[in-house]
Amino acid sequence: MYGADFAYLHGMLLLIVKNWFKAELISSFLCVVVSGLSMYSLSRYCKLDKIIAVANAIFLMGTTTIIFYISSQGFPGWATAFLPLAFIPAVRMISIDEKQINPIFLGGSVALLISIHTFTTLMYVIALIPFWCIGFYKSKSKLLMFRDSILSVLVALILAGNMFIGILDVKTTSLIMPFKVYDLIGTSMVLSDKTMGRYDYGLIFSFIFLFQFAVNIMNWKKISLLEKTIMFTGGLFLLISTKYFPWNEFLSHFPSLGGLQFPQRFSAIASVLLILNSGLVIKRIINQTSKENAKIIMAVFLVLSLINVSSGYSDMLSKAASWKTDKLDLAGDRLETQPEVIRSNFSSSDLTKAFNTIRKSTTDYLPNNGATDAPYKEYTNQIYDNPIKVKKSITEKNELQLSWEVKKSEKVLLPVFVYEHSTVELNGKKLNSKDYTSSNIGALIVNVKPGKNSVIVGYQPSFLFKFLLVLKIIAVPLTIIYCLFYAYKFVSKKKH
């Protein structure tokens, strides 16, 4: 349901480094590096000076979304790391008047983001709308731009169509959605003069965001259409990410908005665009002053980025330090209490030890067969505290096999879930949906005989899913080759 491709990449990383602790360290490091390189690339594409581009990169590396991935594995951090690259096609729509869309880059950007985090992809597509509308308005070849827009959609469907169909396949079953938040204001950002936190932009970000708005408004007639679009879009996402937007008032009229959970998520788009716009404002200021003053301004901007990133990472450093103490900060239910054992289990090459250390009930996207208001408790009772002690293994067909023994014929609830497309085999006999039932959260219920029993559960996706998966396997390498060739031509042309 969420970021399958990127999950496989993280699985490969885990296989290579052989323990959870190293995998998290390396993944966090790569997230920070990618976010910096991505923001630097967007800044340079917008013709910003190298020093300004470096400052922009450091600013993004110090945003709450990136830091939250390091400290708590909040996965929108990885999507944010790639967002600046995804906005290069958006900038291109306005910065030129012809051939404004390269379908491979625009469609590939959407496919890349959806392979990481679905909600971030939705925000990105919404943020593209003003860029596309203005680009279309000023385009000298509107028919060509419209055609390339359609081709971009097709490219996105080819590169990520299996995920769209996979979601539709699963959604043929009613699903338990992620928990709703009934106080959206409480999970929104705020501008302040304090240290940056998960829900606080902090002094430096608050200052540079407000500063650029003030400068641009005072020079509104002088700034480019691109800058206006970036500021308007970034400002809109900044507003809806904060407590200044009447979220709870909207929530009282539209309860389904509780599914948004964290308006703080909108800060990813706001941060990328407003950091970029800050760089554009600094560029315009230094172009209107002397070389000496320009150097001072760029130095101050760079120092602010360094101060911001250092204050942002103080929370991460304190959590890193706590890992070596008896006060370990772990989410979920602890099955192991000894700090030495916990550290050893997460550093062990036996990856199963982590699951014997901590557990976390998660019912998101499980089948909803009349789940109660407390599905997490149901998960704990039916899965973690299930009285049937099963032995799990993987068959040659990559299906999940559960084996156990009972003393009498009875109906048992097993710690495995079934969807509409699931396949079930009991003691060598294939069952159809009438031969078994499932619990209110989709756990399999079957009638068994005395003695040894075995259930094999698989999943049979639709033909369209398989077709699009094959298409994707062919298309992804070709897309990578195209991008590398394009980059080679670009560098060669620039050197020439």
Side-chain angles (χ1 to χ4, degrees):
M1 291 294 292
Y2 248 68
D5 296 338
F6 226 60
Y8 279 116
L9 290 177
H10 273 75
M12 291 173 62
L13 172 63
L14 186 59
L15 286 174
I16 293 169
V17 301
K18 294 182 171 53
N19 73 64
W20 295 98
F21 184 71
K22 289 181 181 177
E24 283 197 16
L25 287 178
I26 294 173
S27 178
S28 297
F29 174 76
L30 290 175
C31 181
V32 175
V33 171
V34 169
S35 68
L37 292 175
S38 180
M39 192 68 213
Y40 181 84
S41 299
L42 174 61
S43 300
R44 292 294 288 160
Y45 183 81
C46 293
K47 297 180 173 59
L48 294 181
D49 184 271
K50 289 182 180 179
I51 298 297
I52 299 176
V54 168
N56 279 355
I58 297 172
F59 269 122
L60 187 65
M61 291 160 68
T63 55
T64 57
T65 313
I66 299 297
I67 293 172
F68 186 59
Y69 178 74
I70 298 171
S71 63
S72 305
Q73 262 58 63
F75 221 67
W78 260 113
T80 304
F82 283 102
L83 265 178
L85 288 180
F87 271 110
I88 290 178
V91 170
R92 175 180 170 138
M93 291 180 194
I94 299 178
S95 57
I96 59 178
D97 296 330
E98 293 183 290
K99 297 182 179 179
Q100 296 150 288
I101 294 178
N102 182 315
I104 299 295
F105 290 145
L106 181 56
S109 296
V110 174
L112 174 63
L113 291 177
I114 200 170
S115 71
I116 303 172
H117 193 251
T118 308
F119 187 75
T120 304
T121 310
L122 176 61
M123 290 192 298
Y124 169 71
V125 172
I126 294 173
L128 279 180
I129 294 174
F131 289 90
W132 189 92
C133 291
I134 292 173
F136 187 76
Y137 173 76
K138 67 193 291 288
S139 176
K140 292 181 179 179
S141 182
K142 290 180 171 55
L143 187 61
L144 178 63
M145 184 176 176
F146 187 78
R147 185 205 69 180
D148 288 340
S149 299
I150 299 298
L151 290 176
S152 299
V153 173
L154 292 176
V155 169
L157 288 175
I158 290 171
L159 294 175
N162 65 304
M163 292 191 63
F164 289 112
I165 299 302
I167 291 172
L168 291 176
D169 272 358
V170 174
K171 276 189 171 290
T172 55
T173 304
S174 177
L175 302 177
I176 299 174
M177 302 310 291
F179 69 91
K180 290 185 177 181
V181 172
Y182 297 98
D183 177 22
L184 293 177
I185 293 294
T187 56
S188 303
M189 299 293 290
V190 65
L191 298 171
S192 77
D193 59 356
K194 300 177 182 178
T195 304
M196 185 173 59
R198 184 181 178 187
Y199 299 116
D200 194 326
Y201 280 111
L203 173 61
I204 294 178
F205 271 134
S206 299
F207 170 73
I208 67 168
F209 289 167
L210 295 176
F211 173 76
Q212 67 180 275
F213 288 137
V215 172
N216 280 346
I217 290 172
M218 288 188 296
N219 297 275
W220 186 253
K221 293 182 179 180
K222 298 179 182 178
I223 64 176
S224 67
L225 187 57
L226 175 62
E227 289 180 76
K228 291 177 181 177
T229 308
I230 292 172
M231 189 189 78
F232 169 80
T233 309
L236 178 61
F237 275 87
L238 176 69
L239 174 63
I240 62 177
S241 75
T242 64
K243 301 177 187 296
Y244 315 119
F245 189 80
W247 277 114
N248 286 356
E249 183 66 25
F250 277 90
L251 187 62
S252 64
H253 296 288
F254 307 99
S256 59
L257 284 175
L260 285 174
Q261 296 181 314
F262 311 107
Q264 178 262 356
R265 292 171 171 174
F266 293 108
S267 67
I269 302 289
S271 296
V272 170
L273 292 179
L274 294 182
I275 288 172
L276 174 63
N277 196 54
S278 297
L280 293 170
V281 168
I282 296 297
K283 175 187 176 182
R284 194 169 65 252
I285 291 174
I286 64 176
N287 286 341
Q288 297 172 356
T289 188
S290 64
K291 288 185 178 181
E292 290 73 17
N293 289 337
K295 290 180 181 179
I296 294 173
I297 293 170
M298 284 194 292
V300 170
F301 191 59
L302 182 59
V303 169
L304 285 176
S305 70
L306 291 168
I307 294 173
N308 180 74
V309 78
S310 62
S311 64
Y313 279 88
S314 61
D315 178 60
M316 180 270 292
L317 292 173
S318 66
K319 289 193 174 186
S322 73
W323 177 250
K324 299 179 181 179
T325 69
D326 292 341
K327 298 180 180 179
L328 299 180
D329 184 13
L330 299 175
D333 302 323
R334 294 193 191 188
L335 304 178
E336 177 58 60
T337 59
Q338 295 298 318
E340 299 84 2
V341 177
I342 293 174
R343 283 189 286 266
S344 174
N345 287 353
F346 278 98
S347 301
S348 172
S349 58
D350 181 356
L351 300 178
T352 62
K353 287 186 176 181
F355 296 103
N356 297 322
T357 304
I358 194 169
R359 69 185 189 185
K360 187 175 182 181
S361 299
T362 304
T363 56
D364 297 359
Y365 309 116
L366 292 181
N368 188 348
N369 299 329
T372 66
D373 292 334
Y376 296 103
K377 185 177 180 181
E378 295 284 351
Y379 187 99
T380 298
N381 293 336
Q382 296 180 27
I383 306 304
Y384 286 132
D385 297 333
N386 193 308
I388 305 295
K389 303 304 177 184
V390 299
K391 179 182 178 181
K392 298 177 184 178
S393 59
I394 304 299
T395 69
E396 293 181 357
K397 295 181 180 180
N398 292 317
E399 296 173 324
L400 180 63
Q401 182 170 9
L402 280 64
S403 304
W404 74 100
E405 290 189 32
V406 292
K407 294 182 180 179
K408 61 180 181 178
S409 298
E410 60 183 350
K411 181 179 290 187
V412 298
L413 183 150
L414 298 171
V416 63
F417 300 99
V418 287
Y419 294 80
E420 184 174 328
H421 288 272
S422 294
T423 59
V424 180
E425 183 180 307
L426 173 62
N427 297 324
K429 178 184 176 182
K430 290 187 176 181
L431 306 182
N432 59 47
S433 58
K434 297 179 181 178
D435 298 324
Y436 61 84
T437 57
S438 58
S439 73
N440 56 348
I441 59 172
L444 177 63
I445 300 173
V446 292
N447 292 305
V448 297
K449 63 181 182 180
K452 292 183 178 180
N453 287 272
S454 172
V455 159
I456 297 176
V457 175
Y459 190 83
Q460 188 62 43
S462 64
F463 170 79
L464 185 57
F465 174 88
K466 295 178 181 178
F467 172 76
L468 288 172
L469 183 60
V470 172
L471 197 62
K472 174 179 184 170
I473 292 172
I474 298 171
V476 168
L478 293 177
T479 303
I480 294 174
I481 292 171
Y482 173 85
C483 291
L484 291 174
F485 181 71
Y486 188 95
Y488 172 77
K489 285 180 62 178
F490 176 78
V491 172
S492 299
K493 183 179 180 181
K494 194 170 183 181
K495 284 183 177 180
H496 179 73

